[in-house]
């Protein structure tokens, strides 16, 4: 990384119109930026990425996403002096520094940046897309007509499996190693034969985005190494503090410490679960009570939530032990599970204090066989969700209203409706299970002084 | 899934092992029923004998060297040494980051410590035993995995909601066909779709199978690409609270799924799984299956008919009822791809491989080595011939006790005196068959292509330095 940070002077790198507005961000800028810009640009880009994340977690359709990305971009990334491209590049490289430093952060950054790139690329005019391919020397060649004819059946079948119009002789397909289009492979969105993926030109975006992703993925690891070995030391007075600060700037309330300073007592837990837990946690809690066991995903989701609620480590251990112990004996619990709980409280292993999961993260999780974690609005069948809501004594009409939101994939809105129905009070929206809990306590137990998160206008982080 | 998640740069506390070994799922299962375990299939003494006389060290090292143990100037002689092994010793003591330079080092280390389980990890950029020297931030090089076979782990416990013959750690010949299906479906797709050639299937010693894809292309996949390949095999989207278990896509199936369906899933389901598991025999079983049908009318019709019939003890009642159900679903009145899709969804739910995705997604996930002994069953983790997997019988896999007995009373069947002592020992036992399978089906073809790889990369390197010199 070769930032030269100056306080006033700026050298502009030739961002003329002859080039595509998009970039693979292959080389770090050598332009000079002021420290203020350094930070401001990064924050602006972060706002774009966070907005995108929220939309993704709401399961927005691709057209909606694209419109949103263009909007966000316009709102935050425009500059008054026409150096949009510089701002794009600088902010990207700054956030690289911020998000290179753990696997979790890298993963988040990679997937948000890739999605951002994909949406931006997709919205470009075909000519601009072509120019981008040429600028970046991407050598994609269409398959011949005879090749097309020989595998036409399969290509038609893939299109039908995606409910897309069948390809015909005019359609263009690119043949690329499957490694280059991981997203298309993962979703079975292409025909793959002997290691080659046949990508229709309508999916060109994925092909390019795949390139983007793999380049960025590698670059992030390199950035991390460089950060560790050189930058953090050389820049210990200037950039490093800013980067540190940026990485903790989550644009949302932090629930890792249990914001309600009053701790909750073990014996109140059942009542609290009934009145103040959001459905996801309520379900996990009572499943645990019922089965005296939860699989890993459930233990994490509930365990960190309880930590955020204010359950102390000793109580947490006692709580989990009393449940698991019934099924497997206390000894086995202490041997195999206690570690994990202490770990979540930062008492073992890397000693990181883990943060409770946000709705985004929970909604994006993929519970499997035997799992009870996830967001009920997202992961339950309609029937089971109806039953779960019924057990909270909600009327048929409100349940129907909630299910309607679910059908439109507004899971958090559905959760907010549930909150309002069970508390007889408005909410500004639910984006974190711990926020749900705190709002609920505020209403049901007004004597506890609360300076509850007023800053809910921005989303909570994915961490 | 959630934190804590062990990642390349974070692995260093040996207590983290539980999160990163493939068997971490075992933590979630109830204690195995011990009563049907003969007391004499396993003992530390047998294990010691097995490691000293039978364990195929040189085959293992030949495999894991991938041709780098030769004399060719293109060979990377540090390759094997950069591979992580890990041992599970008695009393659940884990030792990670063990490494070997060659077969004899491997042999003396294993004989010395007599591990209950040996796991194979990734190839790192440096010898994992010396990793701490690189971990410090002052150094440019960070300890990180660079290569790893693409692996799959299929475990019978993930099928517990659809098998009624046994649960948990038990398996029997009634449920084993589910593993046969997994092998067939995955093996075909890995070869036909992804173009891989060097694939090793191994019995996990108790209730599942492991798959090692060893092509150089596979070994160099990034975590993301691994995840993509694994996800390609995900059709099962159900969880405990959602009865709609599979999602097969739009109006047609992806060619890969269709092939699996026509060639493997449907025939296995109709010929074996239905009657083996008595899927439509009892009310609580067919109730579960009928839950997957969205048409209440049909469900009611089927229930009416089946509740009143008294034939539920007949063995083929499930087959007969399946025919009835299919007729109902496919009959003219209800025609509509939605309901016909139901038949496919049901079959997929009850047969399609359930891969443990986490194992496949990360380069540095550990997986149990072939030819280990399972300490609970005493069985050897033998290779399985994918082409003959229908005939594989997990209950007939030799236990370490069987082998020791054969060793004690057997005579070498090889007359060739040039064989070394170990070969002669092996040839006295039924392990011979497995080792021969390992060599002929897997190792020999693999080494042949490795040789070509080594030569190619060498000429490439030469070429590169030449152009550099020219410049
Ligand atoms: S929306 Fe958030 S709080 Fe509500 S149930 Fe889902 S994950 Fe839990
Ligand atoms: Zn069985």
């Amino acid at each position: 990384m070769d930032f030269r940070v100056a306080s006033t002077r700026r050298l502009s790198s030739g961002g003329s119109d002859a080039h595509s507005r998009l970039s693979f961000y292959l080389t770090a800028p050598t332009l000079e930026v002021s420290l203020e810009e350094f930070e401001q640009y990064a924050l602006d880009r972060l706002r774009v990425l966070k907005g995108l994340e929220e939309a993704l977690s709401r399961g927005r359709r691709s057209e909606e996403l694209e419109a949103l990305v263009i909007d966000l971009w316009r709102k935050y990334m425009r500059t008054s002096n026409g150096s949009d491209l510089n701002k794009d590049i600088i902010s990207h490289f700054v956030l690289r520094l911020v998000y290179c430093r753990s696997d979790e952060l890298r993963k988040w950054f990679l997937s948000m940046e890739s999605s951002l790139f994909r949406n931006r690329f997709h919205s470009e005019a075909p000519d601009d897309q072509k120019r981008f391919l040429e600028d970046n020397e991407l050598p994609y060649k269409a398959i011949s007509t005879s090749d097309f004819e020989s595998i036409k059946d399969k290509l038609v079948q893939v299109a039908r499996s995606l409910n897309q119009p069948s390809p015909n002789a005019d359609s263009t397909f690119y043949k690329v190693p499957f490694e280059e289009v991981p997203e298309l492979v993962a979703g079975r969105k292409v025909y793959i034969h002997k290691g080659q993926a046949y990508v229709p030109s309508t999916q060109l975006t994925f092909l390019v985005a795949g390139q983007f992703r793999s380049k960025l993925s590698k670059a992030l690891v390199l950035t991390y190494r460089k950060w560790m070995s050189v930058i953090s030391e050389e820049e210990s007075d200037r950039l490093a503090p800013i980067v540190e600060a940026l990485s903790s700037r989550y644009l949302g309330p932090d629930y890792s410490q249990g914001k309600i300073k009053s701790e909750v007592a073990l014996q109140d837990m059942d009542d609290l679960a009934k009145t103040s837990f959001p459905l996801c946690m309520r379900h996990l809690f009572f499943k645990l009570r019922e089965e005296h066991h939860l699989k890993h995903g459930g233990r994490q989701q509930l365990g960190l939530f309880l930590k955020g609620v204010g359950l102390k480590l000793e109580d947490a251990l006692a709580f989990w032990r009393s449940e698991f112990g019934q099924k497997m004996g206390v000894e086995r619990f202490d041997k195999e599970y206690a570690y994990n709980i202490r770990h979540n409280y930062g008492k073992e292993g890397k000693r990181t204090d883990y943060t409770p999961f946000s709705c985004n993260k929970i909604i994006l999780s993929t519970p499997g066989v035997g799992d009870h974690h996830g967001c009920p609005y997202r992961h339950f069948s309609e029937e089971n969700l109806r039953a779960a809501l019924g057990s909270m004594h909600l009327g048929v009409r409100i349940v129907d209203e909630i299910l309607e939101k679910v059908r439109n994939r507004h899971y958090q809105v559905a959760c907010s409706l549930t909150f309002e129905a069970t508390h007889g009070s408005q909410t500004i929206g639910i984006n974190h299970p711990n926020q749900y809990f705190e709002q609920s306590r505020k209403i049901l137990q007004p004597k506890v002084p609360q300076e509850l998160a007023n800053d809910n206008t921005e989303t909570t982080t994915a961490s | 899934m959630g934190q804590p998640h062990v990642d390349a740069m974070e692995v260093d506390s040996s207590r983290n092992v539980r999160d990163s070994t493939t068997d971490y799922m075992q933590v979630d299962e109830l204690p195995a029923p011990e009563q049907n375990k003969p007391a004499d299939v396993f003992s530390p003494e047998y294990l010691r004998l097995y490691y000293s006389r039978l364990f195929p060290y040189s085959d293992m090292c030949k495999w894991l060297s991938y041709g780098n143990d030769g004399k060719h100037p293109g060979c990377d002689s540090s390759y094997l040494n950069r591979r992580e092994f890990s041992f599970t010793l008695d009393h659940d003591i884990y030792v990670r980051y063990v490494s070997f330079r060659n077969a004899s080092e491997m042999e003396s280390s294993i004989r010395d410590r007599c591990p209950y389980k040996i796991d194979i990890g990734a190839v790192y950029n440096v010898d994992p035993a010396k990793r701490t020297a690189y971990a410090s931030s002052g150094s440019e090089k960070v300890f990180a995995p660079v290569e790893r076979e693409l692996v799959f782990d299929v475990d019978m416990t993930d099928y517990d909601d659809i098998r009624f013959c046994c649960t948990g750690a038990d398996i029997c010949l009634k449920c084993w066909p589910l593993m046969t299906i997994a092998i067939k479906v995955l093996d075909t797709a890995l070869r036909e779709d992804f173009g891989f050639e060097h694939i090793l299937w191994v019995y996990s010693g108790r209730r599942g199978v492991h798959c090692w894809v060893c092509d150089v292309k596979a070994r160099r996949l990034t975590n993301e690409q691994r995840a993509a390949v694994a996800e390609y095999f995900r059709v099962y989207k159900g969880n405990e609270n959602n009865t709609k278990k599979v999602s097969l896509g739009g109006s047609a199936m992806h060619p890969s799924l269709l092939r699996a369906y026509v060639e493997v899933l449907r025939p296995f389901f109709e010929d074996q799984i239905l009657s083996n598991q008595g899927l439509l025999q009892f009310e609580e079983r067919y109730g579960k299956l009928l839950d997957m049908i969205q048409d209440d009318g049909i469900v009611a019709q089927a229930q009416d008919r089946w509740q009143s019939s008294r034939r539920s003890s007949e063995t083929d009642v499930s087959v007969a009822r399946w025919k009835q159900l299919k007729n109902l679903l496919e009959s003219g009145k209800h025609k509509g791809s939605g309901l016909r899709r139901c038949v496919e969804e049901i079959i997929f739910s009850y047969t399609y491989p359930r891969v443990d995705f986490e194992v496949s997604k990360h380069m540095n996930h550990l997986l149990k080595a072939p030819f280990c002994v399972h300490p609970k069953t005493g069985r050897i983790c033998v290779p399985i011939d994918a082409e003959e997997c229908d005939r594989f019988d997990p209950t007939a896999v030799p236990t370490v006790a069987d082998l020791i007995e054969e060793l004690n009373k057997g005579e070498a069947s090889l007359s060739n005196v040039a064989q070394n002592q170990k070969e002669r020992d092996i040839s006295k036992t039924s392990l011979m068959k497995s080792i021969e399978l390992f060599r002929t089906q897997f190792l020999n073809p693999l080494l042949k292509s490795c040789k070509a790889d080594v030569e190619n990369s060498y000429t490439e390197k030469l070429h590169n330095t030449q152009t550099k010199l020219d410049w």
Side-chain angles (χ1 to χ4, degrees), chain A residues 124-322:
Chain A
E124 292 282 278
D127 277 353
D128 291 332
Q129 290 185 340
K130 229 176 108 205
R131 188 159 53 219
F132 183 82
L133 293 191
E134 285 159 10
D135 281 357
N136 288 280
E137 297 173 341
L138 297 178
Y140 297 126
K141 282 244 159 54
I143 61 170
S144 68
T145 327
S146 62
D147 280 354
F148 173 76
E149 287 302 329
S150 69
I151 53 166
K152 191 175 163 198
D153 291 355
K154 309 282 186 193
L155 299 176
V156 167
Q157 216 181 318
V158 173
R160 287 184 55 212
S161 79
L162 299 167
N163 290 332
Q164 284 166 355
S166 290
N168 55 42
D170 297 334
S171 319
T172 310
F173 280 83
Y174 301 96
K175 180 173 161 185
V176 299
F178 77 87
E179 291 95 327
E180 288 190 20
V181 284
E183 282 170 299
L184 296 177
V185 172
R188 284 191 300 270
K189 292 197 170 111
V190 278
Y191 173 57
I192 310 176
H193 183 65
K194 294 288 178 195
Q196 299 293 322
Y198 293 82
V199 180
S201 58
T202 48
Q203 306 269 34
L204 181 64
T205 304
F206 276 97
L207 199 52
V208 181
Q211 287 277 341
F212 176 87
R213 205 183 160 93
S214 75
K215 286 188 200 318
L216 180 55
S217 175
K218 282 187 202 120
L220 278 172
V221 174
L222 291 178
T223 309
Y224 173 69
R225 290 181 194 169
K226 214 156 169 200
W227 174 265
M228 293 301 287
S229 59
V230 196
I231 307 175
S232 63
E233 198 143 310
E234 281 180 1
E235 294 286 350
S236 61
D237 313 329
R238 294 191 312 166
L239 297 194
I242 300 180
V243 167
E244 294 291 344
L246 274 171
S247 68
S248 54
R249 189 94 174 243
Y250 281 143
L251 306 177
D254 172 10
Y255 292 100
S256 62
Q257 300 305 325
K259 197 147 192 167
I260 309 185
K261 282 295 167 270
S262 68
E263 280 150 1
V264 300
L266 210 43
Q267 65 271 20
D268 299 336
M269 213 49 106
D270 277 273
D271 287 340
L272 286 175
K274 274 194 206 109
T275 56
S276 296
F277 282 19
L279 193 51
C280 52
M281 300 302 169
R282 189 185 152 99
H283 177 69
L284 281 172
F285 185 85
F286 289 111
K287 269 293 158 209
L288 173 65
R289 280 274 196 249
E290 192 181 308
E291 294 178 357
H292 312 302
H293 190 264
L294 282 179
K295 292 181 79 167
H296 182 74
R299 297 199 297 272
Q300 288 301 108
Q301 185 177 317
L302 179 63
L304 290 170
F305 168 78
L306 292 177
K307 184 178 91 163
V309 154
L311 192 65
K312 285 187 300 185
L313 173 61
E314 302 77 70
D315 288 342
L317 279 169
F319 168 70
W320 290 99
R321 186 184 291 121
S322 73

